[in-house]
Amino acid sequence: SATPSTFGVFLASSRSETSEMAFGGWTSSHLVEPLSWGGIHDPEAGHWIIPMHGVRVNGRLLDICKDGTCRAAVDTGTSL
C-alpha cells in the first residue's frame, strides 16, 4: 500500500525471511492482522511516544498499564 508520510518496518523472525523498511507505505504480505493507527502522545518531542494499554512478557499479560497512563518510546534501533 502506498501512503505518503508513512513507513513500515518489518523485522524478520528467522533467517528464511528478510527484514525490510518501506518508505511511503508498507508491505501487506508482512501483516498478520489489519493495521491499526494510533496517535502520537507528544509529536513535538522529536521521537514517537505512544500510550500503552498493556505489557506482555512471554505471552503473559502483566498487571500494569491497563489504565492507559503508561507511555512508551517507539524505536527501530536508532538512538533517541
Side-chain angles (χ1 to χ4, degrees):
S1 297
T3 306
S5 303
T6 63
F7 69 94
V9 176
F10 175 75
L11 300 176
S13 61
S14 70
R15 291 180 186 249
S16 64
E17 299 176 310
T18 302
S19 295
E20 173 185 274
M21 179 173 270
F23 295 95
W26 57 91
T27 303
S28 297
S29 63
H30 291 311
L31 301 177
V32 295
E33 60 185 47
L35 284 177
S36 61
W37 300 98
I40 301 301
H41 175 67
D42 184 3
E44 302 302 317
H47 52 273
W48 292 355
I49 301 292
I50 60 170
M52 285 178 41
H53 296 278
V55 176
R56 290 182 189 271
V57 175
N58 292 327
R60 192 179 71 124
L61 184 61
L62 302 181
D63 193 29
I64 59 173
C65 299
K66 291 180 180 179
D67 62 0
T69 58
C70 294
R71 303 282 180 256
V74 178
D75 186 15
T76 60
T78 61
S79 298
L80 293 178

